[in-house]
Amino acid sequence: MAIDLKDVNFHYPEEPNQRVLHIPSWTLSAGEQVFIHGPSGGGKSTLLSVLSGLFLPSEGQVNVLGQRLDQMTSRRRDRFRARHIGYMFQQFNLIPYLNAFDNIRLASQFSQQKKTPELHEEIQKLLSVLNISANDWYRPARHLSIGQQQRVAIARALINKPELLIADEPTSSLDPLNKEAFMGVLLSIVAENDITLVFVSHDLSLSNYFNRIESLSDINRPEGSA
Amino acid sequence: MFGKLALQSLLDRKGSVVLSLMAMTVSIFVLLGVEHIRHQTKENFSNTVSGVDLIVGARTGSLNLLLYSVFRVGAPTNNISWETYKTIANTTKVKWAIPISLGDSHKGFRVLGTSSDYFEHYSYGSQHHLSFIKGKAFHQVFDVVLGSTVAKKLGYQLGDKLTLAHGITATSFSLHDDRPFTVVGILAPTGTPVDQTLHVSLQGIEAIHIDWQQGVKMPGSTITQAELEQAELQPKSVTAFMLGLESKMATFRVQRAINNYTKEPLLAILPGVALSELWQMMSILENTLLLVSALVFIAACLGVSAMLLSSIRERNREIQLLRVIGAPAYFLFFLIELEALLIALLSCVLATGLLAACLVFLQDYLVSHFGLHIGINFLTENNLYLMLAMICASAIVAIIPSFSGYHQARTVKH
Ligand SMILES: Nc1ncnc2c1ncn2[C@@H]1O[C@H](COP(=O)(O)OP(=O)(O)OP(=O)(O)O)[C@@H](O)[C@H]1O
Ligand SMILES: [Mg+2]
């Protein structure tokens, strides 16, 4: 089981009376790719932050890749996230003043895995697979197009060979053509490496890339009994 | 990689970073400069006279004696009789004695009557003896040797004639104008009051006063210059004298003996001790200067911190991204500290370069206009510690923005 949630409650510390998440039970098996859709403000991003261990649930069990995130110290959660989880945002996935190469290298620094001498080659390989031409590797990220940035973001998210990839509306700033290219390359890499994928979007047209499709409102019932 | 991250992030905010860097550089420059000049002047000051074991004058305060005998400041209270001087100078423990006679001036510069031993034994700094850039010591009654500042300011050359004034004010009207002196020597700059002094022989002093009584010129003097040079000009008194002893061990014994001299009330002082006492009195000014520069530095540190603090607000997304790729919250603390340290280090390097350049360019100017000998080598152990302390201080002040970065990283929003 890649993800196993039980009786997870979450509210933001500033608003203790407004429960954002209430998930009685939800599971995702390893290697599965799920598409979660829901309205804006429904709690999608909040759920992903809980799954990645950025937020601790107010109550409940969060089991990710066989580890109880809710029982870890924040330091272990940070390390766990660095080693096992790749994460992508809608935008601002790269440090704008670092080049693509260094952005990916930076991500590999926090995993504290043995520095493989092949890191350099690995980054190059990933970038080529993602169709980033070599003369864009050493340009500051802010000079890349949005589509290029999002593809570099895939490389950045995958450099530590995570078992779980979390994507928070990574396509919403892309035009249809780029979107298609992005989805194609993302899903082929994920399938090739047996990566579990949680993909969140309100864009239902993307659902045909997935075989498991869920509506957040089915998983999450914040107004239900506490 | 983390160093690169900090550096690139600073480069990305060039505008504000360069400004705080400049503020920091200027403040470090000021602090290092003040500290260096402070040390150098202190050193110069305590080296105003060296190799002299005792200074002897009529009984007065020891500071007063030091001030008029070495710094030519203030006025002696009483003179010492020539017999007393001779008696003490001939004591077995005394190696050499230099008599000093003060009381005349030339255009605001003091005139020192002394013997030619002065040029041989008087030393300053680490045993630097006086040297001549032009000419030689006085031999004739009406010869005068100029300190370097006197020669430079008044534009005198060898062979020029000048007259001395009675008294020590620049506007003194009672001139010894009937007895002109000839410049026979000009001393090399020393950075001590010697530069501002005209040196003549005791006989010269005696000669110009020969027909004066109670500070007033007797009218109708008939003695000619030629007659004077032949005459036996025996000084009747001296203002003070300096002693070099056969052995340093004897210093205190000789000092006690002089202070207990029965025929005349005398005071003997150790110049080193008196100089440091005098310096103590000036330390308030010195410390104030240091305090002000330290405050300037703190202000610059706060400026850097304010710049970093405001940058954290702008860098919210960046912090969030770092957290997502696995950076612990304390990483942000160290990242901001690292940025502050980079600024401090770079400022130190820039300030060091700036100060070195300034010293190289200003050295000659300071010597010729202020008689200040400031060495170029300011990277003393002391100043390196000072720089280290400044870097630490900037790291401490940077705790404020660093903690803010840490806090922001902990409460990351998406
Ligand atoms: N930092 C925060 N503090 C307090 N409340 C928050 C915070 N972030 C989000 N919320 C609230 O939590 C709820 C869920 O927000 P969330 O961002 O998870 O929604 P979402 O489904 O990702 O929306 P979108 O599709 O617009 O990204 C919203 O009601 C929002 O107001
Ligand atoms: Mg969202």
Side-chain angles (χ1 to χ4, degrees):
Chain A
M1 207 58 70
I3 296 175
D4 188 357
L5 304 181
K6 260 197 199 76
D7 296 321
V8 169
N9 285 328
F10 182 87
H11 56 75
Y12 281 93
E14 307 93 73
E15 295 170 40
N17 295 323
Q18 201 185 340
R19 194 161 61 179
V20 180
L21 295 182
H22 170 60
I23 304 176
S25 166
W26 189 70
T27 57
L28 183 68
S29 2
E32 227 180 337
Q33 283 111 44
V34 64
F35 178 82
I36 302 177
H37 63 91
S40 183
K44 301 187 295 293
S45 297
T46 310
L47 170 63
L48 296 186
S49 291
V50 169
L51 289 179
S52 66
L54 272 177
F55 294 166
L56 266 186
S58 324
E59 282 166 289
Q61 301 177 4
V62 179
N63 196 321
V64 175
L65 305 171
Q67 307 249 21
R68 284 283 296 275
L69 292 188
D70 53 298
Q71 289 176 340
M72 283 186 193
T73 62
S74 68
R75 239 188 112 183
R76 279 194 58 208
R77 263 183 287 134
D78 292 333
R79 200 167 310 151
F80 180 82
R81 176 165 62 254
R83 286 189 189 169
H84 303 287
I85 302 177
Y87 203 114
M88 293 180 64
F89 300 105
Q90 175 178 344
Q91 55 190 354
F92 208 95
N93 277 298
L94 306 173
I95 306 259
Y97 48 82
L98 290 184
N99 63 39
F101 206 89
D102 284 338
N103 262 290
I104 300 170
R105 220 147 64 86
L106 183 65
S108 79
Q109 295 280 312
F110 291 103
S111 68
Q112 288 193 358
Q113 272 152 354
K114 290 246 166 52
K115 270 197 196 98
T116 50
E118 311 89 55
L119 179 67
H120 203 83
E121 277 165 41
E122 229 165 278
I123 296 176
Q124 290 183 346
K125 213 168 75 196
L126 262 173
L127 284 171
S128 337
V129 168
L130 289 159
N131 277 327
I132 311 289
S133 66
N135 43 3
D136 289 329
W137 294 356
Y138 300 103
R139 291 170 64 197
R142 68 155 61 92
H143 292 165
L144 301 177
S145 75
I146 307 282
Q148 285 173 322
Q149 287 185 31
Q150 291 303 78
R151 275 179 284 138
V152 174
I154 298 179
R156 196 222 65 213
L158 294 181
I159 188 63
N160 293 324
K161 301 198 167 53
E163 292 94 325
L164 174 63
L165 181 62
I166 294 174
D168 190 354
E169 314 202 35
T171 57
S172 19
S173 46
L174 301 180
D175 59 62
L177 226 81
N178 266 317
K179 195 184 295 188
E180 230 167 277
F182 177 90
M183 289 309 287
V185 70
L186 175 70
L187 287 165
S188 72
I189 289 184
V190 162
E192 234 168 79
N193 296 286
D194 256 340
I195 295 171
T196 311
L197 173 65
V198 178
F199 190 104
V200 149
S201 177
H202 55 245
D203 181 1
L204 271 169
S205 71
L206 295 173
S207 59
N208 50 21
Y209 288 96
F210 296 85
N211 34 35
R212 179 168 169 191
I213 298 150
E214 300 227 24
S215 163
L216 185 67
S217 48
D218 293 339
I219 308 169
N220 182 28
R221 302 155 198 278
E223 50 300 309
S225 61
Chain B
M1 185 73 221
F2 296 145
K4 187 171 185 178
L5 178 66
L7 194 66
Q8 296 273 10
S9 136
L10 287 176
L11 286 176
D12 192 51
R13 291 170 282 137
K14 273 187 221 79
S16 56
V17 170
V18 163
L19 282 179
S20 4
L21 189 72
M22 274 161 56
M24 195 82 166
T25 302
V26 169
S27 78
I28 294 179
F29 169 79
V30 167
L31 196 49
L32 279 182
V34 163
E35 182 65 8
H36 178 59
I37 291 175
R38 197 172 73 101
H39 269 269
Q40 291 279 303
T41 44
K42 180 172 183 177
E43 207 158 287
N44 281 348
F45 182 85
S46 43
N47 285 338
T48 310
V49 49
S50 66
V52 172
D53 294 315
L54 288 171
I55 300 177
V56 183
R59 192 161 294 162
T60 170
S62 60
L63 279 185
N64 193 31
L65 175 54
L66 179 77
L67 284 175
Y68 70 68
S69 64
V70 173
F71 292 94
R72 329 265 190 260
V73 176
T77 44
N78 261 315
N79 273 10
I80 306 172
S81 75
W82 184 252
E83 285 73 49
T84 301
Y85 163 66
K86 270 295 167 201
T87 314
I88 292 173
N90 290 329
T91 319
T92 48
K93 293 196 182 70
V94 173
K95 196 170 171 190
W96 49 261
I98 305 171
I100 292 172
S101 189
L102 295 158
D104 292 297
S105 67
H106 175 74
K107 299 192 176 165
F109 293 104
R110 301 279 182 112
V111 174
L112 177 80
T114 184
S115 67
S116 50
D117 287 343
Y118 181 84
F119 302 107
E120 196 179 322
H121 295 302
Y122 188 87
S123 56
Y124 64 96
S126 33
Q127 308 295 327
H128 287 297
H129 284 272
L130 298 178
S131 63
F132 289 85
I133 36 173
K134 280 179 199 155
K136 52 181 173 34
F138 45 70
H139 287 289
Q140 305 296 317
V141 175
F142 292 100
D143 286 351
V144 58
V145 170
L146 305 181
S148 72
T149 310
V150 180
K152 212 169 284 171
K153 283 255 171 77
L154 303 179
Y156 285 134
Q157 296 296 329
L158 292 184
D160 284 355
K161 302 248 185 246
L162 52 93
T163 54
L164 307 185
H166 193 72
I168 50 181
T169 50
T171 51
S172 191
F173 286 112
S174 39
L175 294 173
H176 301 290
D177 49 3
D178 46 350
R179 320 239 193 273
F181 281 76
T182 310
V183 177
V184 297
I186 294 171
L187 294 171
T190 64
T192 72
V194 171
D195 296 351
Q196 280 110 41
T197 307
L198 295 89
H199 308 81
V200 300
S201 63
L202 286 176
Q203 288 72 24
I205 296 278
E206 211 48 42
I208 55 176
H209 291 109
I210 206 156
D211 44 6
W212 284 53
Q213 244 146 52
Q214 263 93 50
V216 184
K217 198 193 265 183
M218 303 294 287
S221 164
T222 53
I223 307 165
T224 66
Q225 194 103 354
E227 280 171 336
L228 270 174
E229 281 177 17
Q230 303 307 316
E232 181 85 6
L233 292 163
Q234 176 64 43
K236 281 176 276 307
S237 65
V238 294
T239 312
F241 54 91
M242 297 177 175
L243 293 181
L245 302 180
E246 293 288 353
S247 123
K248 304 266 172 214
M249 314 287 284
T251 308
F252 290 103
R253 226 169 326 134
V254 176
Q255 185 188 26
R256 208 169 327 117
I258 294 174
N259 286 340
N260 295 330
Y261 190 74
T262 44
K263 298 204 188 93
E264 209 173 338
L266 295 180
L267 173 71
I269 56 169
L270 281 77
V273 174
L275 281 167
S276 62
E277 270 173 32
L278 183 57
W279 185 256
Q280 290 294 313
M281 292 173 55
M282 313 218 285
S283 65
I284 290 193
L285 177 75
E286 178 199 27
N287 289 341
T288 311
L289 206 58
L290 197 60
L291 182 69
V292 169
S293 12
L295 288 176
V296 169
F297 172 72
I298 300 278
C301 282
L302 289 173
V304 169
S305 288
M307 182 275 293
L308 291 174
L309 190 62
S310 71
S311 82
I312 287 168
R313 307 264 142 74
E314 302 156 19
R315 294 164 75 190
N316 191 20
R317 309 291 304 267
E318 197 181 315
I319 292 174
Q320 178 190 352
L321 177 61
L322 285 169
R323 289 285 283 141
V324 151
I325 63 177
Y330 65 77
F331 175 78
L332 267 299
F333 182 92
F334 290 113
L335 185 64
I336 311 289
E337 277 286 350
L338 188 59
E339 293 186 7
L341 279 178
L342 282 174
I343 292 179
L345 273 174
L346 190 55
S347 303
C348 275
V349 171
L350 290 176
T352 305
L354 195 61
L355 188 55
C358 282
L359 287 175
V360 168
F361 281 115
L362 291 181
Q363 204 179 29
D364 290 339
Y365 176 82
L366 287 176
V367 172
S368 57
H369 286 74
F370 299 101
L372 265 179
H373 271 282
I374 303 294
I376 292 181
N377 181 22
F378 60 93
L379 287 176
T380 56
E381 197 180 347
N382 181 54
N383 270 358
L384 291 177
Y385 277 127
L386 181 67
M387 269 198 266
L388 196 65
M390 287 192 281
I391 290 171
C392 290
S394 74
I396 289 171
V397 177
I399 285 179
I400 305 163
S402 303
F403 186 78
S404 163
Y406 166 79
H407 186 74
Q408 190 137 327
R410 275 195 59 127
T411 56
V412 58
K413 308 211 159 71
H414 54 236

